[in-house]
Amino acid sequence: MTPEENRSPAAHEDPYALALQTGRGPVYLRFADGRRTRLPVRRWGARPTGADETLLERCRGPVLDIGCGPGRLCRALQDRGVCALGIDVAPHAVARTETRGGAALCRSVFDPLPAEGSWQTLLLVDGNIGIGGDPHALLRRCTQLIAPTGFMLVEVDQHDVEEGCTAWVEDTHGNRGPAFLWARLGTPAVHRVAESLGLSVTDQWISGRRCFVSLGRHDSHPSAVAPHAPRAQPW
């Protein structure tokens, strides 16, 4: 590698952080067994899609968007008059969310968070059910965050899959970010994990090639399409 190459931002920056900054790819989620899948960076940085709208119309504020990325859903919810906060461990993601006019904190879902036990809707989309590599632990944590009548809107894998894995983000030049634990779950697996935590699948739907479920406590009955919430911020 030449000194000039060594000074290139793409050569030493985390490819995921660089993709968030530029809004461009391609970047890939690479699994330790050699598989890879392209990350939809342009979609994350664009306006909500029709599939996203099916999520937004179900949200009841206040909403916590876990792994918010560059904040397209947070901003869209605020435009609808729904109070929403994003969290992400990537500083560039939080910065992009704030630049778009959304509210976000640089936190892990497993960190102490504002208004624990009071969130009406939690979003786990764009594969974020995989955070930490242990969906059971993640959803158990989410039950601590939602209000008694709250619910979670979760995007699941379109295939019938249940796996934990090690992964990292890489670009077309072989530059890679740090490895992390990840998971993939299809709808049947989410049903099983939810049941073990005292949660029910209250709704499930497909929009385009994306699959979603709504999870709530057995003793709660959230409305399928929630009214807009006031703008009061609980954090």
Side-chain angles (χ1 to χ4, degrees):
M1 178 178 291
T2 66
E4 289 74 20
E5 288 173 328
N6 193 45
R7 286 196 297 269
S8 168
H12 68 267
E13 281 204 49
D14 179 350
Y16 178 64
L18 191 60
L20 288 178
Q21 280 184 299
T22 63
R24 297 191 301 272
V27 291
Y28 301 88
L29 185 65
R30 172 74 76 174
F31 301 103
D33 64 5
R35 293 172 297 153
R36 76 174 187 179
T37 182
R38 186 167 177 167
L39 296 176
V41 174
R42 288 187 183 275
R43 173 165 66 79
W44 294 344
R47 296 181 61 83
T49 63
D52 292 332
E53 293 290 343
T54 69
L55 287 166
L56 296 172
E57 69 188 13
R58 287 169 165 82
C59 287
R60 180 172 64 224
V63 178
L64 182 65
D65 185 3
I66 298 169
C68 64
R72 76 186 189 284
L73 299 181
C74 288
R75 179 52 196 264
L77 285 166
Q78 290 184 335
D79 288 345
R80 288 169 172 247
V82 179
C83 182
L85 175 70
I87 59 170
D88 203 294
V89 296
H92 289 299
V94 172
R96 281 290 304 279
T97 299
E98 293 176 337
T99 297
R100 296 171 88 157
L105 298 174
C106 193
R107 303 271 181 90
S108 163
V109 64
F110 297 104
D111 291 337
L113 293 172
E116 294 199 11
S118 300
W119 298 97
Q120 289 295 329
T121 310
L122 264 61
L123 294 177
L124 281 168
V125 302
D126 299 324
N128 286 332
I129 186 63
I131 288 172
D134 184 347
H136 190 280
L138 175 60
L139 290 179
R140 184 172 60 243
R141 171 60 174 148
C142 288
T143 64
Q144 299 170 350
L145 298 173
I146 59 172
T149 57
F151 55 98
M152 312 167 203
L153 300 179
V154 183
E155 184 169 359
V156 296
D157 201 282
Q158 60 182 310
H159 305 293
D160 184 4
V161 61
E162 182 176 7
E163 67 172 356
C165 51
T166 300
W168 56 87
V169 177
E170 69 177 25
D171 61 20
T172 54
H173 304 290
N175 300 307
R176 63 171 60 176
F180 51 86
L181 296 176
W182 198 246
R184 296 172 60 221
L185 264 71
T187 304
V190 168
H191 275 259
R192 290 192 294 272
V193 175
E195 182 66 27
S196 72
L197 293 168
L199 299 170
S200 299
V201 176
T202 58
D203 191 12
Q204 60 185 68
W205 70 99
I206 296 173
S207 182
R209 300 180 63 183
R210 298 171 66 191
C211 307
F212 307 93
V213 299
S214 175
L215 304 179
R217 292 187 174 91
H218 285 317
D219 56 352
S220 66
H221 302 281
S223 59
V225 179
H228 287 181
R231 291 183 177 272
Q233 296 180 343
W235 58 89

